[in-house]
Structures are given as C-alpha cells and as structure tokens.
Amino acid sequence: MNIRRMTLDDLAQVVAIDKTSFSLPWPERSFRFEIMDNPASRAWVAEEDGKVVGAIVAWLLVDEAHIATIATHPDFRRQGIASKLLVHTLQSMMNEGALTSVLEVRESNSAAQEMYRKFGFEESGRRPRYYRDNNEDAILMTLYKLKVES
Ligand SMILES: CC(C)(COP(=O)(O)OP(=O)(O)OC[C@H]1O[C@@H](n2cnc3c(N)ncnc32)[C@H](O)[C@@H]1OP(=O)(O)O)[C@@H](O)C(=O)NCCC(=O)NCCS
C-alpha cells in the first residue's frame, strides 16, 4: 500500500469512498477546493494496486494539525489503512511545525474514537448538535503532544 498526495485525478474515487462512509459526505467541490485552493490543506490517499482505498484531509493551522476528514473504502477496513494515513499525516505535519492535533468525531462513532484513542487522542470537549443531519453532538478529541521527545 502506497500513500501519496491527493490529486484531481483521484476525485471520483475519493468522493465515492466519502459517500459510502458519511451521512453528510463532502461534495466534490470541497475536495477540489482542498487540493487546489486551500493553502492550509494537506490531502493524501492510500492506494493499493492502482485503486484508491482511503483518503485523509488535514489542515495545518499554525501549530495544530486539524484532521478534517478520513475514510477507508468499506471493503478495505480493519487492515490498518486509516492508521497508516493518520501516521503519515501527523508525521508530515510535525515536520512542518505541528505540535498538537485536533478533530471532531460523532458521539456514536465508536470505531473512529477507538482508533484515535490508540494514537493518544483524548476527549477534550463537545460541540452540541454539531451534525445537522441528526443533531448529533461532536466529540472534540485532542492529541496534545505531537512532538517526539528528544
Ligand atoms: C474509522 C475508519 C476510518 C477506520 O478505518 P480503517 O482503515 O478500518 O482503520 P484501521 O484498520 O487502521 O483501524 C485502526 C483501529 O481503529 C479501531 N477500529 C477501526 N474500525 C473499528 C470498528 N469497526 N470497531 C471497533 N474499532 C475499530 C481498532 O482499534 C483498529 O485497530 P485493530 O484493527 O487493530 O483492532 C473507517 O471505519 C471509516 O472509514 N469509517 C467511516 C468514516 C469515518 O467514520 N471516519 C472518521 C470520521 S471522524
């Protein structure tokens, strides 16, 4: 499995994964904006045998790596793909000066929360009624110390 920058050529596959993964998927124009126009954005895909099997978009906001979206194709889950995308993203953003990482996750999304906890993210807040499809709360999770001790 190979991790590389997301390009416009990946859009169809990335949008398809997003649609099957979220009740509020991003429209194609959002991914296009992230790739083309958002200077804070870092977007990668995981590729296997020429097929996109996972994707991540993160924003570098000063010293904070904000995980905006991450998803693995349903046929390829529980194979470590999202973990590898996350490690790649956090390491790369650390090299660019990120010290912490933050994300929002649905209260009901225990699979994702479990993964984030494995990386050391902890619950740091709550955004009430954050998701407009069902008014579900978002749990804010923070990884406070990205920096490797020297
Ligand atoms: C959450 C998601 C990205 C995980 O992707 P993945 O490639 O399957 O993740 P990994 O294989 O790297 O799993 C890492 C760990 O996360 C946890 N995990 C992942 N899926 C899980 C599940 N269905 N139930 C419980 N724990 C789960 C496990 O601890 C897992 O480690 P293990 O397989 O050694 O037990 C994937 O389920 C997905 O795309 N979900 C829909 C989109 C989504 O919810 N994104 C996150 C938004 S905040």
Side-chain angles (χ1 to χ4, degrees):
M1 198 247 299
N2 176 38
I3 294 178
R4 59 166 176 77
R5 285 293 175 132
M6 189 187 294
T7 71
L8 290 179
D9 289 340
D10 300 318
L11 276 183
Q13 292 183 87
V14 168
V15 167
I17 292 172
D18 209 63
K19 271 206 178 98
T20 60
S21 298
F22 295 107
S23 51
L24 289 173
W26 285 12
E28 187 190 278
R29 67 173 183 280
S30 297
F31 285 104
R32 189 178 288 274
F33 170 76
E34 297 300 336
I35 295 167
M36 300 295 289
D37 298 320
N38 184 358
S41 187
R42 308 288 182 271
W44 285 276
V45 293
E47 192 178 44
E48 210 161 86
D49 299 329
K51 178 185 164 78
V52 174
V53 293
I56 186 168
V57 176
W59 300 314
L60 184 61
L61 305 170
V62 193
D63 59 2
E64 180 186 294
H66 190 116
I67 308 301
T69 189
I70 179 168
T72 298
H73 187 294
D75 296 344
F76 293 83
R77 290 186 185 159
R78 297 309 284 267
Q79 297 176 32
I81 289 170
S83 298
K84 287 194 182 114
L85 280 167
L86 204 51
V87 166
H88 186 91
T89 300
L90 294 177
Q91 276 176 346
S92 168
M93 291 176 110
M94 265 172 65
N95 293 340
E96 289 194 83
L99 300 174
T100 61
S101 182
V102 173
L103 56 86
E104 285 105 10
V105 56
R106 282 180 192 259
E107 187 176 27
S108 64
N109 193 349
S110 50
Q113 288 173 33
E114 188 56 36
M115 175 174 74
Y116 297 136
R117 265 191 287 276
K118 278 193 171 169
F119 282 90
F121 283 84
E122 47 193 283
E123 189 171 331
S124 54
R126 176 179 288 261
R127 301 197 196 285
R129 303 162 68 85
Y130 183 76
Y131 297 99
R132 65 179 189 279
D133 58 336
N134 63 353
N135 288 324
E136 187 173 353
D137 288 2
I139 305 296
L140 199 64
M141 296 186 82
T142 301
L143 179 53
Y144 285 101
K145 214 170 177 192
L146 268 182
K147 229 175 167 59
V148 178
E149 301 291 343
S150 53

